[in-house]
Amino acid sequence: MWTDGYIAVDWGTTNRRAWRMRDGRVEQEFADDLGFTSVAAGGFPAAVQDIRDRLGDLPLLMAGMVGARGGWVDAPYLPCPLDLATLAASLIEVPSERAFIVPGASFVDGLRGDVMRGEETQFFGAVDAGLCSPDGLICHPGTHNKWALMQGGRLVWFRTVMTGEMFSILKAQSLLKAWLDTPAHPGKTFEEGVARGLEGRAVTADLFTVRARVLLGSLAEAEVSSFVSGLLIGADVRTGLNGMPQGEVIVMGRGALTQLYAAALTQAGRATRQVDGEQAFLAGTNAIVERLS
């Protein structure tokens, strides 16, 4: 089935990306904003056919929200600790569609439960391709930032922090929204926000002081986005590093957000290395296909 290539799909909450793969290399790709929340009820068959119309009539290997409850087909989570062999052996096949969905991962510790879909493919891909060590901490910035601990190539622990979603809510609805359109950037104001977040103070209280500082003239409107980003990311980093082993932190993703997290981690005293999330994801789908062939 896989000898003539396949289509890898990363279907997120707000967007999707697809690549036509042959011999482990990208032949063609596209990205759009037809994320999980944009697909109408019963609309996944047509949305999947659209992928094949664009990239060819090939087997599909799909990760992310396409396997969530309310997605195309429910792909139950696999509990941690989890390894690549188990993930590859547990794909959910969509009958008569030549399509397979990666299940995702879960973690339970007492009253705390956590889940992920899509990121696990990147983590295992990065390890399999030698992009990161099989032992260590990974930070995966995004709408829902993931902190993941790998041991011996296995995913043994992870925690999700809703930092990106919180910033989006503040930008859309809060009393700070008029000042949050300016892109955040590393620098003095961002570092000030990070320092506050790392202190473990009440973030909800610090957020209100932002407005007060603008009104009183001690914070420029153009710097609000950088300070708020630093504040939220600093609190996120403090949570993610709590109880974790020392050593290099892999920051996995793309664009300016990974740079902000790397800067905050550096400020927290941790060495970092950035890994491209797309490269890791495709390394993960290739690793799964190798185990299916």
Side-chain angles (χ1 to χ4, degrees), residues 59-82:
L60 294 167
L61 181 56
M62 317 177 80
M65 297 303 290
V66 66
R69 184 180 303 175
W72 191 20
V73 174
D74 185 20
Y77 298 102
L78 300 175
C80 288
L82 177 63

Side-chain angles (χ1 to χ4, degrees), residues 11-13 34-45 47-48 64-77 101 117:
W11 211 317
T13 301
L34 192 67
F36 170 76
T37 56
S38 299
V39 180
F44 270 97
V48 170
M65 297 303 290
V66 66
R69 184 180 303 175
W72 191 20
V73 174
D74 185 20
Y77 298 102
I101 298 177
R117 288 193 184 276

Side-chain angles (χ1 to χ4, degrees), residues 23-95:
D23 297 327
R25 296 187 298 274
V26 177
E27 287 190 333
Q28 190 176 340
E29 65 182 279
F30 78 85
D32 60 26
D33 59 0
L34 192 67
F36 170 76
T37 56
S38 299
V39 180
F44 270 97
V48 170
Q49 183 58 48
D50 174 64
I51 295 173
R52 283 198 167 109
D53 289 343
R54 297 196 201 190
L55 298 181
D57 186 21
L58 291 168
L60 294 167
L61 181 56
M62 317 177 80
M65 297 303 290
V66 66
R69 184 180 303 175
W72 191 20
V73 174
D74 185 20
Y77 298 102
L78 300 175
C80 288
L82 177 63
D83 58 35
L84 176 59
T86 301
L87 187 72
S90 304
L91 301 182
I92 301 300
E93 182 176 3
V94 184

Side-chain angles (χ1 to χ4, degrees), residues 231-273:
L231 177 66
L232 294 177
I233 291 174
D236 188 340
V237 166
R238 183 177 185 274
T239 297
L241 294 181
N242 184 35
M244 291 294 100
Q246 294 296 314
E248 180 183 66
V249 179
I250 299 297
V251 185
M252 187 177 297
R254 54 188 295 194
L257 190 55
T258 57
Q259 296 174 12
L260 291 175
Y261 270 84
L265 280 160
T266 299
Q267 188 171 336
R270 299 298 289 267
T272 67
R273 182 159 52 90

